[in-house]
Amino acid sequence: MKISEPMEHHPLVVPSLEPKYPSRTTTGEKSPFVGSSRFAVLLVLFFCNTIVYLVRINMSVAIVYMYRDDQEFEKSVVLSSFYWGYASSQILAGYLAARYGGRIILVCSMLGCGICTCMIPLNTSMRMVVAMRALIGVCQGANYPSQMILLSKWIPWFERSRALSIISAGESLGTIVALFGGPYLVSSTQSWESIFWLTGLTSIVAFAVVFLVLFEGPEAQRD
């Protein structure tokens, strides 16, 4: 009986996906980054992330003025309510952004954050505050899934690390501005409600910027 020879071993090779934009290291081609359309997209997303964190962190400042020192339970519920919505919406938001486009989901996210934030000073009952903060969390849960879809369409694969660094810097800037500027704003206006009015209105401004300036991808911009 003839014994078959062992098959030659080949390591598993997964064919690389053809990038939408070839690497400049293989083509020798260079395209300007600063001043380009994709750089403008990153600036818009950086601005959105700054506003998102202004809206997220504003409650950490305002809660000191909204509740007494002995109302620890109320404070903990209000502060945690944002994350109830935030944790529940990200998977669905990713699906919707992939299906319908990142731009429309980001538009809805920024508008929803602005409206819900402005609703808090209009009705400061605990139920209303918790409900609005949870809805803000739902809206912000859609922020990064929508931005990832936009980055996949706008940014060449070899520039995405830099792109993520740029837009993520908005998180730190928003946190710094909220924690540093919030108390100063309250002391200047003698009203903790001003924190929500200002951050809510800036979120609505961000909605307008995304709606008017941002395109789904380079093809949509050319159309």
Side-chain angles (χ1 to χ4, degrees):
M1 180 177 179
K2 185 178 179 180
I3 301 176
S4 60
E5 296 181 358
M7 297 179 61
E8 184 179 356
H9 173 71
H10 294 282
L12 178 63
V13 177
V14 179
S16 59
L17 297 176
E18 182 68 22
K20 185 174 182 181
Y21 302 89
S23 171
R24 59 184 170 208
T25 60
T26 60
T27 63
E29 297 179 358
K30 294 184 179 180
S31 59
F33 179 68
V34 177
S36 64
S37 295
R38 64 187 187 280
F39 182 70
V41 169
L42 295 181
L43 289 181
V44 171
L45 298 183
F46 170 85
F47 175 65
C48 287
N49 286 337
T50 301
I51 302 306
V52 160
Y53 270 74
L54 279 175
V55 171
R56 181 181 303 194
I57 303 298
N58 60 12
M59 182 57 74
S60 298
V61 177
I63 202 165
V64 176
Y65 306 95
M66 295 172 65
Y67 298 97
R68 301 188 309 272
D69 291 339
D70 61 344
Q71 293 181 298
E72 297 299 330
F73 175 75
E74 289 82 354
K75 291 180 181 179
S76 62
V77 172
V78 169
L79 288 173
S80 66
S81 58
F82 169 88
Y83 293 95
W84 305 350
Y86 189 70
S88 64
S89 64
Q90 296 187 50
I91 295 176
L92 177 60
Y95 168 78
L96 293 175
R99 184 175 179 85
Y100 299 107
R103 176 181 175 273
I104 185 62
I105 302 302
L106 184 59
V107 163
C108 294
S109 172
M110 300 309 298
L111 180 61
C113 285
I115 293 174
C116 292
T117 301
C118 290
M119 291 293 292
I120 292 176
L122 297 178
N123 186 339
T124 58
S125 67
M126 185 175 175
R127 288 186 178 181
M128 183 66 172
V129 173
V130 168
M132 290 300 102
R133 288 295 292 179
L135 286 175
I136 292 170
V138 170
C139 293
Q140 290 204 9
N143 179 56
Y144 271 112
S146 62
Q147 291 194 16
M148 295 305 103
I149 295 296
L150 291 168
L151 289 182
S152 69
K153 296 178 180 179
W154 274 103
I155 307 300
W157 63 272
F158 53 85
E159 290 183 353
R160 288 178 187 165
S161 294
R162 175 170 57 180
L164 284 172
S165 299
I166 292 173
I167 67 173
S168 297
E171 303 173 6
S172 300
L173 179 60
T175 301
I176 292 170
V177 172
L179 293 177
F180 182 78
Y184 177 78
L185 180 64
V186 173
S187 64
S188 300
T189 61
Q190 297 299 311
S191 169
W192 58 261
E193 291 92 342
S194 60
I195 294 177
F196 296 107
W197 286 120
L198 181 60
T199 55
L201 291 175
T202 53
S203 185
I204 294 175
V205 170
F207 148 75
V209 171
V210 173
F211 183 78
L212 296 174
V213 175
L214 192 63
F215 293 88
E216 184 65 29
E219 296 81 5
Q221 184 183 37
R222 286 193 291 268
D223 293 342

